[in-house]
């Protein structure tokens, strides 16, 4: 297909995608762990459908507008967790409308958020499920201690329109033991107060194969695993053959023996480094470093001869797959059992 | 307007935009320099129209699809320079179609690019204007020496369907003297070969007020100047009041005394650092560093109390304005002489 694709292009191999989905689902099934994939990586109802068909119990979204886009798909996606503090009258109204259409859960890490949710859902036919977001070391959102988690759980349970549903965390890489410790203490406190903890949700692709080492977790939210990327290869989580998403680019200039310029810059590859050197891996060319991006140019350098010609195409595994799918309106989908197709990135740019 | 805007949002102050446009146009007029703004910053025909009304001779685009989007606007934009090596039959066909509708110029830095352009435009009613892209120190695209520039100029002039139109460079910051030296030598060689050099084009906002120090340059292509950003403030090119584009965000969590989380992450602010520390400047809060972004979260830290509350809004000047306008489908436009409006980012995502 390559020759027919105008570059730069984001290409997804659906066979590799399916393997990635199945690999983690089998692992999770073996350990009695439910899978609730984060759609931020693919932003595609059709890939969510593959994940659900493989056994996922529902999906995770980060923003209300993402959830709306996924709920509007055919066939409908009916079980959505939004792992974000929802604030503001407009978003809350959208959230209430969304809850009419899907089995919805959200998170909260403060009383301000809980109050807004309660005000919105008081009088709703079905109370809104709310999980307490816990900080198990990532120092992003989340209550800081199991005691704080227990206090907020009680507050949720006592709030009109809401039901306390469990605990959620996005741990730092290597944080599996911290998740087990925090969640065990928090669950103990909450159950001691007479509240059931239906769900304990953790996430993150880098540590997903260690999820069983935090057996208190009932649901896992992997995102990047569906495509994989250079950051995960560098962590030893997968190999290049497991990377389902690549960027196809054309060499537009070879101005010096050790330098070539491609037509993919930060508007496709993004500036995400994730601690790596360079902005992606040129498949088959480990000697090349993508050492500089401007918006429409990527600079490839090598200590040896660059050995590329103007007009030649290269395939790149980006540092971070999730952000790349946000940069393009459509993807080129390739697979062995169907003709190549172009899919719009349905939930692209959904930041609201 | 702020309270009515759902966050995160990209807001453009049209009054500040107009001032920025006028400031450079006046400077250029005083120095007999033509202005051909790069639309990659705003991606908006309406802002290009302001630039043209102020005196710009045309616009600059990076990709064919950007130029198509700008040419399709009402009123039509009729003079476009594409500062990119165009390769591949599909893009060349689009280029030829575009040349039927606008006064088009492109660049080339190799014979492969020239051959493709010539093959495409041989037999065209009007030859395609081609400038030689020159590397004056940025080590991106461009011929390496004035001698190479002269050779490629002759090749263009001898190619069916093409006319040699001049020289173009995107210099590194601080490269004004290098531009003058390279272009003087190249022009001398080309004129000695009997070819006129109609246009010598340079660009870059950081050095735009030094453009007169390279008097050989006939046209200048500023991009970021239209909005300005944190990178330009840090270089002393402008002040915060000159920054027309800001990101409006809501504080969604204040989990610790020195930390707050906002609802704008890399999907709005992008990971572009441009050599800076942190991912943007919170207006009115020089003590705050945006030290970490994930896709939908921005982390604000301060050595003192963060002194923000959940639900409060902050305005951020991003590191790099151009990439931010590529992240959103629409902008909120504010001005003193008209009602606030929402504009679609017409040329967003145009990477082809």
């Amino acid at each position: 297909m390559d020759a027919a694709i105008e570059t730069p292009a984001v290409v997804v191999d659906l066979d590799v995608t399916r393997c990635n989905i199945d690999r983690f689902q089998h692992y999770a099934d073996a350990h009695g762990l439910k899978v609730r994939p984060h759609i931020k990586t693919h932003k595609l109802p059709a890939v969510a459908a593959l994940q659900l068909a493989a056994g996922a119990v529902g999906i995770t979204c980060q923003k209300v507008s993402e959830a709306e886009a996924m709920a509007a798909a055919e066939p409908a996606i009916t079980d959505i967790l939004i792992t974000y503090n929802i604030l503001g009258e407009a978003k809350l109204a959208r959230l209430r409308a969304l809850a009419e259409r899907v089995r919805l859960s959200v998170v909260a890490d403060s009383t301000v958020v809980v109050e807004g949710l309660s005000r919105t859902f008081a009088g709703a036919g079905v109370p809104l499920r709310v999980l307490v977001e816990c900080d198990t070391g990532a120092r992003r959102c989340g209550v800081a201690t199991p005691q704080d988690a227990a206090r907020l759980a009680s507050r949720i349970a006592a709030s009109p329109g809401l039901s306390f549903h469990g605990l959620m965390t996005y741990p730092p890489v290597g944080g599996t033991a911290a998740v087990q410790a925090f969640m065990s203490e928090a669950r103990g406190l909450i159950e001691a107060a007479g509240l059931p903890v239906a769900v304990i949700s953790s996430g993150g692709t880098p540590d997903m194969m260690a999820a069983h080492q935090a057996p208190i977790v009932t649901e896992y939210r992997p995102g990047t695993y569906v495509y994989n990327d250079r950051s995960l290869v560098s962590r030893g989580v997968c190999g290049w053959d497991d990377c389902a998403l690549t960027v196809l680019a054309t060499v537009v200039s070879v101005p010096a023996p050790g330098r070539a310029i491609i037509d993919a810059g930060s508007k496709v590859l993004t500036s995400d480094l994730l601690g790596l050197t360079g902005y992606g891996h040129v498949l088959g060319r480990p000697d090349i470093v993508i050492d500089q991006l401007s918006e429409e140019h990527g600079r490839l350098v090598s200590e040896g001869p660059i050995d590329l010609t103007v007009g030649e195409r290269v395939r790149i595994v980006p540092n971070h797959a999730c952000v790349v799918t946000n940069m393009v309106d459509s993807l080129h989908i390739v697979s062995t059992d169907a003709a190549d197709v172009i899919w719009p990135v349905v939930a692209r740019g959904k930041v609201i």
Side-chain angles (χ1 to χ4, degrees), chain A residues 24-264:
Chain A
F24 185 67
Q25 188 67 51
H26 290 152
Y27 164 86
D29 289 346
H31 291 282
L33 186 65
K34 292 175 182 167
V35 182
R36 183 182 287 279
H38 205 310
I39 62 86
K40 72 183 187 116
T41 305
H42 55 70
K43 306 173 178 69
L44 294 171
V47 172
L50 294 178
Q51 293 170 315
L52 292 164
V57 297
I59 63 167
T60 306
C61 297
Q62 204 73 314
K63 292 290 183 84
V64 175
S65 55
E66 281 183 322
E68 289 171 338
M70 301 307 283
E74 289 289 341
I77 291 168
T78 56
D79 189 326
I80 300 179
L81 166 65
I82 302 178
T83 47
Y84 212 85
N85 288 327
I86 312 296
L87 286 159
E89 296 312 313
K91 284 196 187 70
L92 287 165
R94 291 166 71 162
L95 192 71
R96 169 112 192 222
L98 189 62
E100 307 282 324
R101 298 157 55 200
V102 301
R103 183 180 184 278
L104 191 65
S105 316
V106 302
V107 305
D109 72 354
S110 73
T111 54
V112 176
V113 173
V114 170
E115 284 163 7
L117 294 171
S118 177
R119 213 169 39 239
T120 307
F121 281 83
V126 178
L128 179 67
R129 293 160 205 84
V130 184
L131 290 77
V132 174
E133 179 164 0
C134 303
D135 180 2
T136 55
R139 304 289 176 265
R140 202 171 69 178
C141 292
V143 297
T145 67
Q147 291 72 27
D148 289 340
R151 267 189 291 273
L152 198 59
S154 295
R155 178 66 176 262
I156 293 165
S159 296
L162 307 184
S163 71
F164 169 72
H165 196 56
L167 304 169
M168 169 264 167
T169 187
Y170 180 66
V173 174
T176 308
V179 170
Q180 178 69 18
F182 189 113
M183 293 301 185
S184 299
E185 188 175 354
R187 189 180 70 177
L189 292 167
I190 295 166
E191 288 180 344
L195 288 175
V197 181
V199 169
I200 297 183
S201 173
S202 187
T205 293
D207 289 321
M208 67 182 187
M209 290 303 189
H212 63 284
Q213 293 170 21
I216 195 163
V217 171
T218 66
E219 282 191 8
Y220 206 83
R221 313 181 313 276
T224 318
Y225 86 114
V226 70
Y227 291 156
N228 290 313
D229 57 22
R230 183 174 175 233
S231 78
L232 292 168
V233 174
S234 77
R235 290 181 187 280
V237 175
C238 62
W240 298 119
D241 289 347
D242 304 314
C243 293
L245 181 147
T246 53
V247 171
L248 187 68
T250 299
V251 175
V252 296
S253 185
V254 186
R259 167 162 47 103
I261 308 296
I262 56 171
D263 61 357

Side-chain angles (χ1 to χ4, degrees), chain A residues 240-241 243 245-246 281-286 314-317:
Chain A
W240 298 119
D241 289 347
C243 293
L245 181 147
T246 53
H281 171 75
V282 181
L283 283 170
R285 289 298 302 271
V314 293
R315 279 177 66 214
I316 298 164
V317 176

